[in-house]
Amino acid sequence: MRHCSVQVRGLLTRDELDRYNGLIEVGSYLEDQGRHDLAYTVQKEIDLLIMPAIERLKEKSRARDRQTADYLKSLHEDGDDEASSEEQ
């Protein structure tokens, strides 16, 4: 079974995480039994389960990018203000 990243697991709700752990356990058991056809189905279910957490991770990244852009813009504006006050 393929695990999702620690970052994604950190953004799963308690219910999602419980379901994720159960599905991983079932999938691992099926793989141990050689039932890769059924383990594939379980893996697809895990992939669907983690999609909302992946979107939450992407949104956190976009928010961080916006904050960084705002910070850099404020530094640039502060530099412009200081330059114009020195000219006077």
Side-chain angles (χ1 to χ4, degrees), residues 48-83:
L48 291 174
L49 174 67
I50 64 174
M51 289 306 293
I54 291 171
E55 289 304 316
R56 290 190 285 270
L57 183 63
K58 287 179 182 178
E59 183 51 42
K60 275 182 72 171
S61 177
R62 287 190 284 270
R64 187 176 54 248
D65 290 347
R66 284 191 296 272
Q67 290 173 342
T68 300
D70 290 345
Y71 174 73
L72 293 174
K73 184 178 175 184
S74 72
L75 286 179
H76 181 68
E77 289 172 354
D78 289 346
D80 289 346
D81 291 344
E82 289 176 9

